[in-house]
Amino acid sequence: SHILEIVETLCDRVIIINRGQLVADEKIERLKELTKTKSLEDIFSQLVEIKDIDSVSKELSDLVKNDQ
């Protein structure tokens, strides 16, 4: 769904795709922790507003690895 408010209410895990590339595949609460945001809409905005998706994916992946 593209209605992020509903997704956040109904789901605990999301996949975010931007321009055909996987940007995130994680639990919403985990993404909030990693991105230091309060809502799925904020997470989405933060992840897709950046032009260089490869560096965003790597950055998010590094955050997950470092936190484990």
Side-chain angles (χ1 to χ4, degrees):
S1 173
H2 289 84
I3 305 170
L4 299 180
E5 201 171 273
I6 292 173
V7 171
E8 190 167 3
T9 302
L10 297 176
C11 303
D12 63 347
R13 186 178 193 95
V14 296
I15 293 174
I16 298 174
I17 299 171
N18 186 29
R19 298 181 185 169
Q21 291 198 295
L22 180 66
V23 177
D25 178 2
E26 189 62 68
K27 290 187 176 190
I28 295 172
E29 289 304 315
R30 180 82 172 115
L31 288 172
K32 287 179 183 178
E33 291 171 17
L34 292 170
T35 59
K36 297 177 177 49
T37 58
K38 295 182 180 183
S39 71
L40 183 55
E41 188 171 337
D42 292 341
I43 293 166
F44 181 82
S45 293
Q46 184 176 335
L47 294 177
V48 301
E49 283 182 7
I50 299 171
K51 303 282 190 238
D52 184 4
I53 298 305
D54 289 334
S55 69
V56 172
S57 294
K58 182 180 179 341
E59 196 173 309
L60 188 57
S61 176
D62 290 345
L63 285 171
V64 170
K65 287 177 190 173
N66 291 335
D67 196 51
Q68 292 179 355

